[in-house]
Amino acid sequence: DTAVSQTPKYLVTQMGNDKSIKCEQNLGHDTMYWYKQDSKKFLKIMFSYNNKELIINETVPNRFSPKSPDKAHLNLHINSLELGDSAVYFCASSQGVGSTLTGELFFGEGSRLTVL
Amino acid sequence: KNEVEQSPQNLTAQEGEFITINCSYSVGISALHWLQQHPGGGIVSLFMLSSGKKKHGRLIATINIQEKHSSLHITASHPRDSAVYICAVRLSSASKLTFGTGTRLQVTL
């Protein structure tokens, strides 16, 4: 039973399109994250939600909009896709946040987005 | 300059060798994570530590808070250990993780 699952795993689309990536965790964690991994394999935080509330919003274009309908789900919607958005996007979850973090991060398998 | 530096960037070892990967950081942290990313792309959390030492199977992670340094050791390395190992720190003042650039390990027979 997958702990953190993302869909789709692969996404190929044209510039200018709008797309979404979905993430769900069945670990009962209260914090979820979106990370972007660029072509050099460098990971960077994009967003974090704790109990459906946005707590981290890094310098990310506002074409990226996260949505957390409940604490088990964190979706990422991207408008007007650009070539530079091509990357692997990882969802992750943890219990607690910051100084209250009690455990490790659990990652999804990643969603590889290719913008043509 | 990245707040988290890893060395070496690339490492090739023969099966059975003892491996050390280093991570240095420049700011105060509340915790440090070691992650493993296999060629297939999935990321697995190996350790989260804020002091001392942790061991899991053939993997050992240590941290020295005063020296702002952590090491990941792999004993009796095996080809299945081939992966990218990533160090990430959680700043004392923030909730987010800051990642190192990773160490690519290749273990050959």
Side-chain angles (χ1 to χ4, degrees), chain A residues 28-76:
Chain A
H29 288 164
D30 59 6
T31 305
M32 295 184 72
Y33 311 81
W34 277 111
Y35 293 94
K36 181 179 179 181
Q37 187 174 46
D38 61 25
S39 56
K40 293 182 180 174
K41 301 288 189 182
F42 190 63
L43 274 163
K44 203 162 181 197
I45 183 76
M46 297 175 71
F47 302 104
S48 176
Y49 272 73
N50 176 252
N51 282 318
K52 301 195 300 174
E53 198 176 314
L54 181 66
I55 53 168
I56 296 175
N57 185 354
E58 285 297 288
T59 311
V60 174
N62 56 16
R63 298 181 294 105
F64 289 77
S65 52
K67 282 198 171 42
S68 182
D70 55 62
K71 68 177 193 178
H73 295 84
L74 181 60
N75 304 322
L76 184 65

Side-chain angles (χ1 to χ4, degrees), chain B residues 42-64:
Chain B
I43 300 174
V44 174
S45 177
L46 299 175
F47 295 103
M48 184 184 81
L49 63 167
S50 53
S51 64
K53 177 178 166 179
K54 285 190 176 179
K55 185 175 190 289
H56 187 243
R58 295 180 295 107
L59 300 177
I60 302 165
T62 63
I63 188 168
N64 185 317

Side-chain angles (χ1 to χ4, degrees), chain B:
Chain B
K1 189 174 172 351
N2 202 22
E3 288 170 314
V4 183
E5 296 284 344
Q6 284 186 238
S7 63
Q9 282 194 319
N10 294 284
L11 182 54
T12 301
Q14 283 205 309
E15 185 177 14
E17 282 187 19
F18 180 83
I19 287 161
T20 296
I21 299 170
N22 297 299
C23 176
S24 296
Y25 52 92
S26 55
V27 293
I29 67 167
S30 58
L32 182 143
H33 298 251
W34 280 104
L35 310 172
Q36 179 192 56
Q37 185 170 25
H38 274 285
I43 300 174
V44 174
S45 177
L46 299 175
F47 295 103
M48 184 184 81
L49 63 167
S50 53
S51 64
K53 177 178 166 179
K54 285 190 176 179
K55 185 175 190 289
H56 187 243
R58 295 180 295 107
L59 300 177
I60 302 165
T62 63
I63 188 168
N64 185 317
I65 296 292
Q66 286 75 29
E67 294 186 5
K68 294 186 168 61
H69 181 269
S70 174
S71 293
L72 176 68
H73 305 285
I74 306 175
T75 60
S77 59
H78 189 275
R80 66 173 174 266
D81 297 325
S82 298
V84 175
Y85 292 83
I86 303 167
C87 171
V89 300
R90 188 175 301 275
L91 304 182
S92 300
S93 58
S95 302
K96 67 175 186 177
L97 285 181
T98 300
F99 295 85
T101 50
T103 295
R104 186 175 298 275
L105 170 66
Q106 181 77 33
V107 182
T108 58
L109 292 169

